[in-house]
Amino acid sequence: MNKNKMRVCLEILYNCPFVLLVIVTSFLFVLFFDETGILKIDKSIAVFQPINKEDISLFNAETVKKSQNSNEAAEKEKEKDADQAADTDENAGLRKEEKDGIEETNIKKTDIASLEREKNREKEENRATKFVEYAPIETNSRYYSDAGKVALTTAYDYVLENESYFNDAAFLGDSRTLGISDYAGLDGADFFCDNGMTIFKLLEDKGVTYQKTGEKVDLKKVLQEKRYGKIYIMLGMNELGYGNTNMYLKQYLKVLNQLKEWQPEATIYIMANLHVSREKNNMETEFNNININDKNVASARLANGKDIFYLDCNPLFTDEEGYLQGDLTFDGVHLYAQHYEKWRNFLFEHGVEREAETQKEDEKSAAGQLQEDAGYGGDTAE
Amino acid sequence: MLFSSVGFLFRFLPIFMIVYLTFPKYRNIVLLAGSLIFYGVGEPYFVLLLLLSVLINYGLSRYMFWEPRSPQVNRKKKSARRRKRALILAIVIDLGVLFVFKYWDFAAGNINRLSGHGLLPLLSLALPLGISFYTFQMLSYQIDCYRGTVKEQAKLLPFATYVCMFPQLIAGPIVRYSDVSGRMAERKVRIRDIENGLKLFTAGLGLKVILANQIGTLWNLIMTAGAGRLHALVAWLGAFAYSFQIYFDFWGYSVMAMGLGKMLGFSIPRNFDIPYVSRSVSEFWRRWHMTLGSWFKEYVYIPLGGSRKGSARTILNLFVVWALTGLWHGADWNFVLWGSAFFLIISLEKKTFGKWLENSKVLGHIYIIVLIPVTWVIFGITDMGQLAGYLGNMAGYHKEEILVGMTQLIRYLKEYGILLIACVIFATPLPGKVYWKWKDRWFMVLFLLLVFWWSVREIISGSNNPFLYFRF
């Protein structure tokens, strides 16, 4: 009896090794990795390094704000504005000092920031990037949430430039930046980009292709050796389904800190990720404009209007609902080659002359007020 | 649900197979229910349309086979008339549904444009998944019943199972009832069948996920730059990439269907026979999407008289078949153009150089390798302006300056070179021969296991990170 059973078992084994192998490996796979989501364990957080103190202090404010409902947030915003208006005149000098201090927190690591400083930092940030708020929708994704606002191009007196402006520029990015490299005709600039590039991979050893030679280079070395006047960075598309927006923001900050350390004189442009078309926009996956906007808003928060600027080129290419116009793209994500000209002109229009900027710094709050006005009347859609 | 999805591979298929094997007596019910779930997950509303179509067709086939009890005069004549009526009704209803969902907007749009008024409203209906396939399958059943090829009417359950069975429901092959009727009442599933079926399925999965999806990104990359401003070589590279994508995609899907069919105890006919090694376009279509080709031959070409009614009539018949084949693939002018191109080529081959090409050793292959990618470009680009631009680029003609030139070509070749070589190899008979010769050997088993997990990895990274698939 037992022998018979054994024989049957052996026969099965002999007859279907492939089925058994697939089943066994599937079990192991589900048990140990569960990338398939069958057990519904969300391990996405654990994959990354633990969050350190500095990051927490920096982004506490963000999380607190998100957890409150929009009404409260709006009220808080108003209060803050009033606050700010009140103390601009009185403590202008003091504020300036503090600002510099905050700059350091932003750029270099320092002790744990106090709540007071946190608040001021946020003010500073709000001065640099303007947001248009809207009622956020409910999202149920581990990758993102609805930011509830749209970031506008950093308000600034940009100057119209020509091609020579880009002779000391570096572009860091993914396939869309590759498009700029291929079709925008900015031959003077150095492009470091790859299909599928992410902010997480950017500074890896031999992580990114230098388009002039086609070789993989170590961006860390390049940026320490060569001086750049401007660094354009546009990353975020390949991060849509990776980690979450907070992680993206943290990594972005880390990269910016590095860039500032290696290239203290460079003007850094954070470029908004271009939205996708209506056909490509899919609310059931993480691949949609809400998520892209979430990433854009996060990166826009890092602009300071002094040496870090946020450029939103979306109004050039999107319709009134924010979708990338269908006739500008084949796959709903990338522009056709001929439309990069428009993008180039947009970059031309957003030149920053740093001498002019330092002068303005001295003009204190009045200038600041002007900047704000310019921001709302600027070329971005509201 | 798609075969190449985590939901199918790790949830649907194992659960379904366990239930299917546990209740050998209720295989048809389990298969039908499973298939409806499979379809309903993706198309929660159109599953009702599918069911309704099945019921109507079943009713009509019953009517066709119905014999009144009381003896009547002219019984034979009446019976023949009834059968005809049932068949016509079935054809009108099936094609009518297909027309409304698939062709209405195209037809109405063109009529409106011609007349210059908004005579007909556009419906903007979504296309129910697989409707072209299951409609043709039901039509083949009705016609076979009418002709008497199907002698005995199928009962509701086997008929519904035959139409809805998930391996071929959404992307073919178009199975004829006689292919599976023998296995409908009772079917044994041996362990070897499951083993071989899963192997075949894995091979298909690999073709679809590893080859087709990957090479598809190259076509996408080139189209993304935009037709009309491509260097001729880039345009040709894109055409080849698309030809490979469409072949491995469809072939892979058909092989997966065959494998699944085997696992369920059916034998689903094969759909592709190494088409790219053909030496004439006629031969190509005998090897490409074979079940569709034989459907049109059997139910359209031959009833029209085939090639037996003189050469003028033959040409006309060919035209009808190819216009319909073109339209079957999609409701747009480029598909009409695509079908017409095949009509022209095949007519020419039939009348002049076809035989000569098929006997040639090298010339026929070159002819196919050059011609077929051009037809796929026509197939792949729906926008007429872009299509003209792309074909112009392939011929070396440029209206505007070239934007995608040698620099990009070199980069594409660097990035996709190995994959292109793999695609070329898999378009030859070699991999098939290797597979069938050594499929039971341990190294092949391990290789297939590797293919399986490699595919799963691709699928997962594709769903978690859409950009690995699309490569932004």
Side-chain angles (χ1 to χ4, degrees):
Chain A
M1 185 67 191
N2 247 345
K3 244 185 184 173
N4 251 350
K5 261 189 188 166
M6 279 282 278
R7 191 182 298 158
V8 172
C9 283
L10 276 177
E11 223 176 280
I12 290 176
L13 256 174
Y14 181 75
N15 272 323
C16 57
F18 184 59
V19 172
L20 291 176
L21 273 173
V22 167
I23 292 174
V24 169
T25 47
S26 297
F27 266 115
L28 293 176
F29 180 68
V30 169
L31 278 179
F32 289 108
F33 297 99
D34 195 44
E35 283 292 317
T36 54
I38 290 170
L39 301 180
K40 294 257 173 204
I41 300 170
D42 190 345
K43 285 188 180 168
S44 66
I45 308 289
V47 176
F48 300 92
Q49 326 139 353
I51 301 161
N52 58 38
K53 257 183 191 167
E54 171 201 29
D55 292 332
I56 295 172
S57 68
L58 262 167
F59 297 106
N60 255 350
E62 169 75 351
T63 26
V64 168
K65 228 166 84 186
K66 267 192 180 161
S67 63
Q68 282 165 343
N69 65 42
S70 56
N71 265 345
E72 266 178 37
E75 242 177 71
K76 216 177 149 192
E77 206 79 31
K78 249 188 234 162
E79 260 179 49
K80 238 184 287 154
D81 279 356
D83 229 84
Q84 197 179 332
D87 68 16
T88 16
D89 291 321
E90 281 175 30
N91 305 324
L94 201 138
R95 264 180 55 76
K96 173 104 171 52
E97 262 176 48
E98 236 177 64
K99 234 194 278 170
D100 292 341
I102 291 145
E103 209 55 53
E104 258 178 52
T105 343
N106 235 331
I107 300 310
K108 286 190 180 158
K109 62 180 272 181
T110 168
D111 55 342
I112 301 164
S114 68
L115 247 169
E116 184 64 28
R117 194 168 271 195
E118 200 56 59
K119 205 171 149 193
N120 280 324
R121 194 190 61 79
E122 215 172 279
K123 270 183 213 164
E124 168 69 21
E125 200 178 81
N126 283 348
R127 272 163 57 94
T129 308
K130 298 287 169 214
F131 296 98
V132 178
E133 303 213 11
Y134 63 88
I137 58 160
E138 277 287 315
T139 53
N140 180 26
S141 170
R142 71 185 202 197
Y143 299 110
Y144 68 100
S145 58
D146 192 344
K149 52 189 171 189
V150 177
L152 303 179
T153 296
T154 308
Y156 189 79
D157 284 341
Y158 295 106
V159 218
L160 184 65
E161 299 285 354
N162 55 33
E163 262 188 72
S164 63
Y165 181 72
F166 295 93
N167 287 342
D168 63 342
F171 283 79
L172 320 176
D174 51 29
S175 58
R176 270 109 164 250
T177 311
L178 204 57
I180 299 179
S181 159
D182 278 350
Y183 312 121
L186 300 173
D187 296 329
D190 282 349
F191 283 87
F192 301 93
C193 43
D194 270 305
N195 292 330
M197 181 49 59
T198 70
I199 192 93
F200 298 96
K201 285 195 282 190
L202 188 68
L203 298 181
E204 277 175 9
D205 305 342
K206 300 239 165 204
V208 63
T209 307
Y210 178 40
Q211 294 300 328
K212 271 188 186 146
T213 60
E215 311 264 306
K216 288 264 180 197
V217 294
D218 189 342
L219 203 55
K220 292 188 291 251
K221 266 191 204 143
V222 175
L223 289 178
Q224 283 171 58
E225 280 160 13
K226 193 170 172 185
R227 294 265 136 245
Y228 286 105
K230 303 98 196 170
I231 298 175
Y232 291 81
I233 175 165
M234 176 167 58
L235 285 164
M237 289 304 284
N238 299 300
E239 291 85 339
L240 293 180
Y242 188 81
N244 57 38
T245 303
N246 259 347
M247 269 180 222
Y248 166 77
L249 179 53
K250 245 172 282 161
Q251 181 66 21
Y252 218 113
L253 182 73
K254 215 167 126 191
V255 170
L256 283 190
N257 285 340
Q258 280 299 328
L259 292 182
K260 285 269 51 155
E261 198 184 312
W262 294 328
Q263 305 278 340
E265 270 107 60
T267 306
I268 296 177
Y269 292 94
I270 297 170
M271 293 202 283
N273 291 289
L274 199 56
H275 292 177
V276 296
S277 69
R278 186 186 299 274
E279 290 74 34
K280 204 79 206 177
N281 190 65
N282 185 345
M283 291 310 294
E284 276 157 36
T285 66
E286 56 285 351
F287 190 40
N288 56 57
N289 286 338
I290 303 278
N291 192 2
I292 294 174
N293 185 52
D294 197 31
K295 302 283 185 283
N296 284 344
V297 165
S299 62
R301 289 167 55 86
L302 302 173
N304 58 15
K306 283 169 71 188
D307 53 1
I308 305 178
F309 298 87
Y310 174 78
L311 296 184
D312 183 14
C313 59
N314 273 304
L316 294 177
F317 304 111
T318 54
D319 59 19
E320 63 275 10
E321 282 175 84
Y323 295 111
L324 182 60
Q325 287 165 34
D327 52 347
L328 301 181
T329 170
F330 174 71
D331 60 359
V333 183
H334 301 94
L335 293 172
Y336 285 129
Q338 65 257 37
H339 302 299
Y340 282 95
E341 209 182 327
K342 217 169 159 187
W343 202 330
R344 179 187 61 189
N345 294 339
F346 176 78
L347 294 179
F348 280 174
E349 285 159 17
H350 287 82
V352 170
E353 296 293 341
R354 295 289 287 280
E355 293 80 22
E357 177 229 13
T358 30
Q359 274 171 25
K360 212 175 324 165
E361 274 300 300
D362 301 334
E363 285 172 34
K364 293 178 205 166
S365 53
Q369 197 60 43
L370 266 173
Q371 276 181 37
E372 268 176 40
D373 293 342
Y376 282 118
D379 55 347
T380 42
E382 285 182 26
Chain B
M1 211 185 284
L2 295 174
F3 295 155
S4 53
S5 69
V6 169
F8 179 81
L9 290 173
F10 293 103
R11 291 187 205 130
F12 180 84
L13 192 60
I15 296 172
F16 173 80
M17 281 314 286
I18 289 169
V19 178
Y20 188 75
L21 294 174
T22 320
F23 303 101
K25 277 195 179 163
Y26 304 102
R27 290 220 162 123
N28 282 347
I29 291 190
V30 173
L31 179 52
L32 178 62
S35 300
L36 292 177
I37 292 170
F38 173 83
Y39 190 79
V41 169
E43 303 273 11
Y45 301 106
F46 287 140
V47 73
L48 297 173
L49 179 77
L50 173 66
L51 276 176
L52 194 70
S53 294
V54 167
L55 284 176
I56 290 173
N57 275 280
Y58 173 73
L60 285 169
S61 77
R62 270 200 78 141
Y63 180 61
M64 209 183 276
F65 279 100
W66 178 61
E67 297 286 341
R69 286 231 182 100
S70 54
Q72 283 175 320
V73 269
N74 290 339
R75 191 173 154 180
K76 259 208 164 142
K77 221 176 176 182
K78 274 198 173 163
S79 157
R81 223 184 296 154
R82 190 174 54 242
R83 291 163 75 87
K84 198 166 221 167
R85 214 177 308 147
L87 178 69
I88 289 170
L89 255 177
I91 291 174
V92 167
I93 290 173
D94 286 345
L95 290 183
V97 171
L98 186 63
F99 179 82
V100 168
F101 280 99
K102 195 169 176 177
Y103 301 104
W104 177 269
D105 281 10
F106 176 61
N110 281 317
I111 290 171
N112 288 349
R113 205 170 322 140
L114 271 182
S115 64
H117 304 284
L119 284 179
L120 295 164
L122 297 181
L123 299 174
S124 308
L125 293 170
L127 189 66
L129 202 60
I131 190 170
S132 312
F133 288 95
Y134 70 70
T135 303
F136 267 41
Q137 204 154 302
M138 287 190 294
L139 280 176
S140 82
Y141 174 76
Q142 299 287 9
I143 298 171
D144 283 352
C145 282
Y146 176 76
R147 287 179 177 172
T149 324
V150 173
K151 297 258 177 334
E152 213 175 317
Q153 191 216 341
K155 292 207 173 66
L156 179 59
L157 184 60
F159 176 68
T161 312
Y162 153 70
V163 176
C164 302
M165 126 169 113
F166 72 85
Q168 39 76 358
L169 177 61
I170 53 179
I174 301 166
V175 181
R176 308 265 291 277
Y177 188 65
S178 48
D179 292 335
V180 292
S181 59
R183 300 287 183 90
M184 266 305 165
E186 205 195 343
R187 51 190 174 270
K188 267 202 165 148
V189 182
R190 292 166 305 167
I191 290 172
R192 299 286 313 159
D193 290 337
I194 297 181
E195 168 83 359
N196 287 330
L198 192 65
K199 273 183 196 160
L200 211 50
F201 177 83
T202 305
L205 187 69
L207 290 174
K208 156 93 182 119
V209 176
I210 300 172
L211 290 183
N213 286 2
Q214 307 275 344
I215 198 70
T217 59
L218 176 56
W219 164 249
N220 193 54
L221 209 63
I222 289 169
M223 281 309 287
T224 288
R229 295 183 157 202
L230 309 171
H231 189 280
L233 288 174
V234 175
W236 275 98
L237 182 70
F240 282 122
Y242 186 58
S243 306
F244 283 132
Q245 184 197 6
I246 203 164
Y247 173 44
F248 293 123
D249 197 285
F250 203 179
W251 183 34
Y253 226 89
S254 300
V255 170
M256 283 191 271
M258 272 167 81
L260 289 170
K262 203 162 212 131
M263 290 170 78
L264 304 178
F266 292 101
S267 80
I268 288 178
R270 77 176 173 158
N271 222 1
F272 290 87
D273 183 17
I274 329 151
Y276 286 159
V277 299
S278 310
R279 275 179 259 189
S280 71
V281 173
S282 319
E283 188 191 352
F284 174 81
W285 271 99
R286 286 196 296 273
R287 291 162 171 269
W288 178 280
H289 203 176
M290 291 149 79
T291 53
L292 181 77
S294 68
W295 196 98
F296 273 113
K297 192 177 161 199
E298 192 98 354
Y299 299 118
V300 181
Y301 185 63
I302 290 177
L304 284 175
S307 53
R308 283 165 289 128
K309 292 196 174 170
S311 55
R313 187 63 192 269
T314 308
I315 298 287
L316 179 73
N317 293 345
L318 277 174
F319 175 75
V320 171
V321 166
W322 284 103
L324 289 177
T325 306
L327 275 175
W328 183 86
H329 284 85
D332 234 314
W333 282 113
N334 69 311
F335 293 108
V336 178
L337 185 66
W338 180 74
S340 319
F342 277 121
F343 157 69
L344 265 178
I345 298 166
I346 287 178
S347 308
L348 276 175
E349 277 183 4
K350 258 204 157 66
K351 291 291 149 209
T352 52
F353 53 81
K355 277 276 164 293
W356 177 73
L357 268 180
E358 277 177 37
N359 291 328
S360 69
K361 277 234 155 71
V362 184
L363 219 60
H365 289 303
I366 295 174
Y367 165 78
I368 285 296
I369 289 168
V370 171
L371 197 60
I372 291 295
V374 178
T375 63
W376 285 131
V377 167
I378 301 174
F379 184 88
I381 305 178
T382 346
D383 183 285
M384 279 297 167
Q386 279 201 30
L387 177 58
Y390 199 98
L391 291 175
N393 287 169
M394 286 177 87
Y397 169 76
H398 299 92
K399 231 195 256 167
E400 292 150 304
E401 60 165 328
I402 296 176
L403 274 177
V404 189
M406 278 313 186
T407 340
Q408 283 84 1
L409 181 71
I410 290 165
R411 200 175 64 225
Y412 296 157
L413 284 177
K414 255 189 200 162
E415 211 169 314
Y416 289 91
I418 295 170
L419 188 63
L420 280 164
I421 292 168
C423 286
V424 170
I425 292 171
F426 273 86
T428 67
L430 189 72
K433 275 186 191 154
V434 169
Y435 176 84
W436 289 111
K437 192 166 179 193
W438 287 310
K439 73 180 166 57
D440 295 327
R441 303 288 284 275
W442 61 270
F443 60 84
M444 191 53 104
V445 167
L446 287 184
F447 176 73
L448 284 171
L449 192 71
L450 182 79
V451 169
F452 181 82
W453 286 106
W454 187 358
S455 306
V456 170
R457 203 200 70 154
E458 290 293 322
I459 291 168
I460 288 171
S461 54
S463 66
N464 270 355
N465 186 347
F467 305 97
L468 277 182
Y469 169 37
F470 294 110
R471 301 233 173 224
F472 296 110

